[in-house]
């Protein structure tokens, strides 16, 4: 929780551990736990687990992940494609919330394939809604808009008012992210008409989302009026937004939803700030940050950004920068380049207001670098999707049942096809597991995690001088060497290919010095290998960067290690940074 807020209000996060009952928060609906107890093994139990995971995903996402995985296992044993699709859709939502975009996309893609194979057309809208969520997070807004419009059509064809309402909510959210407040309000007006035609339970479920997105739109309108110097319009939009939030409070009392509540608190902070109420804005921002930490969510940066704005307005630029840094830590770890650019623009503006022109220019340049990285990431994403399609086709050809196909596809999705080590999704899941083990005291004594980035020096020259086939073989050898280094470290150390010629190791450690030793062992393994048979007259080396953090701050360690890697390369390559 931010230091700017009262630490006494901080709730203790629920712990994620087995058995299943241990992952449930105290306020889990009793009828759902009773339903699970009563459900016989098979499809009924799988669906009960899906319902329970959906109920706790906003309060205990790591617990929802455990429940979703249990639901998928039960669906596979029960030979229930429907339950499997629903479990995968739920896993996609929770994975996105926990900051695992690669996994979110993969499981939703498998849900789509499975639904199509078994003719489960009534589930198509739910699948498309969740696929749109993964695209929104990664900044692929055009694809998300297409999926959401298709989801509307599919929900209408299937006669699913819940899915139809969800698609409208997501379309409004997307419009708000684009700064299109009028477009968002239009979608929400359509949603309101839709809600009034539904029965009470569905109305209660949809009202909080409608009010939250409507408040978001009024925040945008008020800010746009401020930028144009229209003070009266600014105050009017802020007042309307606060009125909407009062309706949201009433809706949330009827159907509590902590994620929606934290977003409403962030919007309240922004609106009060626009009205000049700094104390009220700070209290609302702290409430949003409090809820964000309690829910363990890694999807929304609004809690950090609202507090940054308040601290900036109160004359605390250092505190504001700390909150911007926390938001950047989230979006960088998830490679959300568009969000990274927007936050860096705010950082640049803050430096400029402080007269720190060099720092402002540095942030602006970093934003430009992020824009270039976004283009590269789009190419990588397209290649990943192509590989995923190939894996699915291969799984269908090699396996005898849909369960075997799904298990094989899930296994392949975690593994880099070329080198056999983990890919980005496998790393994401492995790192999440390490954090969950730490919460459950499974790593007693291993209170720190080391992140080690390894990049092959001058790898392009290998492809240029020899061939891409030689380059692939080099990557395979380096993966094997790093796996051997990891085997000498603590069991459970993760080794993965992060992209191109870059690898990463994540290891539980007892003391920071162990991270430097692990990094140096990686460097030496590459340098000491006899490369002459594969690369005549060429010696291969690697640059290594590492960082150490507590398990809950692993994303910060990954970002720092990546930065240290590039310092090692700029310093001359074939070295470790920081030096021992």
């Amino acid at each position: 929780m931010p230091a700017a807020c009262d630490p006494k209000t901080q709730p203790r996060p629920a712990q994620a551990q087995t058995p299943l009952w241990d992952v449930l928060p105290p306020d889990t609906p009793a009828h759902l736990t009773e339903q699970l107890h009563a459900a016989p093994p098979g499809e009924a139990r799988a669906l009960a687990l899906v319902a329970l995971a959906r109920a706790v995903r906003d309060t205990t996402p790591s617990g929802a992940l455990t429940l979703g995985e249990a639901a998928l296992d039960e669906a596979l044993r029960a030979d229930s494609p429907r339950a499997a699709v629903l479990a995968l859709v739920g896993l996609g939502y929770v994975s996105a919330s926990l900051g695992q975009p690669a996994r979110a996309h993969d499981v939703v893609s498998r849900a789509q394939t499975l639904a199509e194979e078994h003719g489960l057309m009534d589930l198509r809208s739910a699948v498309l809604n969740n696929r749109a969520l993964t695209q929104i997070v990664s900044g692929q807004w055009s694809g998300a808009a297409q999926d959401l419009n298709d989801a509307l059509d599919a929900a209408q064809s299937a006669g699913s008012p819940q899915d139809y309402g969800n698609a409208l909510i997501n379309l409004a959210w997307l419009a708000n992210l684009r700064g299109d407040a009028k477009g968002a309000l239009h979608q929400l007006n359509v949603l309101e008409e839709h809600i009034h035609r539904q029965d009470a339970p569905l109305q209660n479920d949809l009202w909080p989302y409608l009010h939250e997105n409507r408040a978001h739109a009024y925040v945008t309108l008020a800010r746009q009026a401020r930028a144009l110097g229209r003070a009266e319009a600014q105050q009017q939009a802020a007042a309307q937004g606060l009125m909407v939030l009062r309706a949201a409070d009433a809706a949330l009392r009827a159907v509590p939803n902590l994620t929606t509540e934290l977003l409403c608190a962030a919007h309240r902070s922004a609106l009060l700030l626009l009205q000049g109420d700094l104390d009220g804005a700070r209290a609302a921002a702290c409430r949003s940050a409090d809820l964000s930490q309690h829910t363990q969510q890694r999807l929304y940066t609004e809690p950090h950004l609202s507090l940054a704005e308040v601290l900036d307005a109160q004359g605390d630029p250092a505190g504001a920068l700390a909150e911007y840094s926390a938001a950047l830590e989230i979006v960088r770890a998830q490679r959300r380049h568009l969000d990274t650019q927007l936050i860096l623009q705010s950082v640049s503006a803050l430096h400029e207001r402080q007269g720190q022109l060099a720092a402002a220019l540095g942030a602006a340049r970093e934003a430009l670098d992020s824009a270039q990285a976004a283009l590269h990431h789009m190419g990588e994403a397209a290649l990943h999707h192509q590989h995923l399609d190939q894996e699915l086709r291969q799984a269908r050809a090699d396996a005898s049942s849909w369960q075997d196909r799904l298990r094989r596809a899930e296994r392949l999705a975690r593994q880099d096809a070329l080198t056999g080590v983990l890919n980005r999704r496998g790393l994401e899941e492995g790192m999440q597991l390490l954090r969950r083990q730490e919460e459950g005291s499974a790593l007693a004594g291993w209170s720190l995690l080391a992140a080690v980035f390894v990049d092959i020096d001058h790898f392009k020259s290998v492809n240029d001088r020899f061939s891409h086939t030689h380059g692939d073989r080099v990557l395979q050898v380096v993966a094997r060497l790093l796996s051997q280094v990891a085997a000498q470290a603590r069991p459970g150390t993760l080794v993965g290919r992060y992209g191109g010629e870059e690898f990463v190791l994540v290891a539980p450690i007892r003391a920071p010095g162990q991270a430097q030793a692990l990094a140096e062992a990686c460097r030496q393994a590459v340098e000491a290998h006899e490369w002459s048979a594969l690369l005549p007259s060429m010696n291969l080396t690697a640059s290594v960067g590492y960082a150490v953090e507590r398990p809950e701050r692993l994303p910060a360690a990954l970002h720092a290690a990546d930065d240290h890697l590039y310092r090692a390369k700029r310093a001359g390559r074939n070295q470790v940074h920081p030096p021992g």
Side-chain angles (χ1 to χ4, degrees):
M1 182 168 180
C5 302
D6 181 5
K8 291 183 291 187
T9 63
Q10 177 181 344
R12 181 176 180 83
Q15 291 187 348
Q17 48 186 308
T18 54
L20 288 179
W21 308 113
D22 291 340
V23 307
L24 301 180
D27 58 349
T28 301
H31 73 281
L32 292 179
T33 57
E34 293 169 1
Q35 179 179 314
L36 180 58
H37 275 298
E43 184 179 64
R45 180 174 173 81
L47 293 174
L49 284 164
V50 168
L52 202 53
R54 184 183 297 115
V56 305
R57 67 188 184 186
D58 290 316
T59 54
T60 316
S62 59
L65 198 64
T66 300
L67 291 165
E69 290 165 348
L72 181 58
D73 288 342
E74 191 70 25
L76 292 171
R77 287 193 294 270
D79 192 18
S80 173
R82 174 174 294 278
V85 170
L86 291 171
L88 288 166
V89 166
L91 285 170
Y93 179 94
V94 176
S95 297
S97 298
L98 287 169
Q100 301 174 2
R103 182 185 193 189
H105 181 274
D106 286 355
V107 296
V108 173
S109 294
R110 297 187 207 298
Q112 182 179 17
T113 299
L114 192 58
E116 291 172 353
E117 284 182 351
H118 293 270
L120 302 172
M121 300 309 294
D122 59 311
L123 300 182
R124 184 168 182 265
S125 182
V127 172
L128 289 169
N129 261 307
N130 277 269
R131 191 170 75 174
L133 173 63
T134 67
Q135 294 187 94
I136 290 172
V137 172
S138 61
Q140 298 172 336
W141 290 350
S142 296
Q146 182 62 57
D147 273 349
L148 290 173
N149 283 303
D150 290 344
L152 281 177
D153 293 339
Q156 202 161 28
S157 298
S160 173
Q162 177 76 65
D163 289 334
Y164 190 84
N166 290 341
L168 288 170
I169 290 165
N170 287 331
L171 280 167
W173 179 36
L174 180 57
N176 274 324
L177 291 175
R178 285 173 156 168
D180 179 12
K182 292 181 179 180
L185 290 172
H186 167 71
Q187 298 292 350
L188 295 169
N189 289 337
V190 176
L191 175 62
E192 186 168 5
E193 294 175 1
H194 172 70
I195 291 175
H196 283 301
R197 294 194 294 268
Q198 309 310 317
D199 56 18
L202 183 54
Q203 285 190 16
N204 291 338
D205 188 47
L206 294 176
W207 278 123
Y209 297 106
L210 181 143
H211 295 317
E212 181 271 312
N213 276 281
R214 190 167 275 167
H216 188 172
Y218 282 120
V219 170
T220 300
L221 288 173
R223 285 175 171 162
Q224 290 172 347
R226 181 184 58 184
L228 295 171
R230 299 172 57 193
E232 184 178 349
Q234 173 186 330
Q235 292 301 316
Q236 183 180 14
Q240 288 178 303
L242 290 169
M243 183 171 61
V244 168
L245 287 173
R246 286 193 287 273
D249 291 340
L252 288 167
R253 283 193 293 272
V255 182
N257 183 307
L258 294 187
T259 301
T260 303
E261 188 178 345
L262 78 84
L263 290 171
C264 286
H267 300 329
R268 179 172 282 107
S269 176
L271 293 166
L272 290 172
L273 189 61
L274 286 160
Q275 286 192 332
D277 182 359
L278 296 186
D279 291 339
R282 181 167 181 146
C286 286
R287 175 60 178 162
S288 182
D290 181 28
L291 290 167
S292 180
Q293 184 163 356
H294 177 57
T295 58
Q296 310 168 45
Q297 69 86 28
R298 301 285 293 178
L299 179 58
Y300 301 105
T301 56
E302 282 88 346
H304 292 295
L305 299 181
S306 61
L307 193 53
E309 288 186 330
V310 171
L311 292 170
D312 183 19
Q314 290 185 324
D316 182 5
L321 285 173
E323 293 303 321
Y324 282 130
S325 295
L328 282 170
E329 179 183 314
I330 292 172
V331 297
R332 281 170 168 159
Q334 300 171 29
R335 304 180 85 186
R336 289 160 54 179
H337 297 292
L338 181 56
D339 289 327
T340 300
Q341 293 169 55
L342 295 174
I343 296 170
L344 285 170
Q345 288 170 12
S346 297
V347 171
S348 179
L350 175 58
H351 283 308
E352 188 174 358
R353 288 194 298 273
Q354 297 296 312
Q356 300 168 345
L357 300 184
L361 180 60
R365 285 175 173 167
E366 195 174 352
L368 179 60
D369 290 342
S370 182
Q372 294 172 335
L375 295 175
H376 176 69
H377 176 59
M378 289 174 64
E380 281 189 340
L383 185 61
H384 171 76
H385 299 165
Q386 180 182 346
H387 288 163
L388 182 61
D389 290 340
Q390 292 172 350
E391 290 167 7
L392 290 169
R393 285 195 296 271
Q394 187 63 45
R396 285 195 291 270
D398 294 347
S400 58
S401 69
W402 71 266
Q403 294 102 317
D404 290 338
R405 292 197 296 272
L406 186 58
R407 290 188 183 103
R408 174 181 169 83
E410 283 287 293
R411 185 177 66 254
L412 290 174
R414 297 177 175 89
Q415 187 179 57
D416 179 59
L418 175 64
T419 64
V421 298
L422 296 173
N423 59 14
R424 287 186 68 93
R425 173 185 165 180
L427 284 166
E428 288 172 356
E429 293 185 32
M431 289 185 289
Q432 179 67 23
L433 179 60
L434 283 177
R435 290 196 290 268
R436 288 159 64 185
Q437 287 176 333
E438 187 272 341
E439 291 172 350
S441 301
L443 299 181
W446 304 84
S447 57
L448 298 171
L449 289 179
V452 180
F453 274 75
V454 181
D455 190 88
I456 303 171
D457 294 328
H458 303 298
F459 180 72
K460 184 176 182 298
S461 64
V462 174
N463 290 327
D464 292 344
R465 289 180 55 183
F466 299 95
S467 68
H468 285 279
T469 300
H470 277 70
D472 288 348
R473 292 176 63 191
V474 164
L475 293 172
Q476 291 168 340
V477 172
V478 171
R480 187 178 74 247
L481 294 172
L482 296 179
S483 296
Q484 291 169 354
V485 171
Q488 301 302 313
R490 182 187 181 279
T493 296
L494 305 175
V495 184
R497 184 179 173 199
Y498 216 60
E501 65 271 24
E502 192 171 82
F503 295 83
V504 65
L505 287 79
V506 178
I509 59 173
R510 298 182 188 273
Q514 292 177 309
Q516 202 281 335
L518 180 63
E520 180 60 26
C522 292
R523 187 199 65 80
Q524 290 181 6
V526 176
E527 183 184 40
H529 183 72
E530 178 55 61
W531 292 102
S532 60
L534 180 58
L535 306 174
S537 73
M538 185 175 182
N539 293 321
L540 210 62
T541 62
S543 299
V544 185
Y546 71 93
V548 178
E549 276 289 359
R550 300 184 306 278
E552 68 271 18
R553 286 186 49 79
L554 181 56
L558 292 168
H559 178 66
D562 197 25
D563 180 65
H564 292 164
L565 168 64
Y566 284 99
R567 294 191 185 194
K569 296 183 83 69
R570 287 195 296 268
R573 294 184 170 85
N574 191 26
Q575 56 188 276
V576 169
H577 187 88

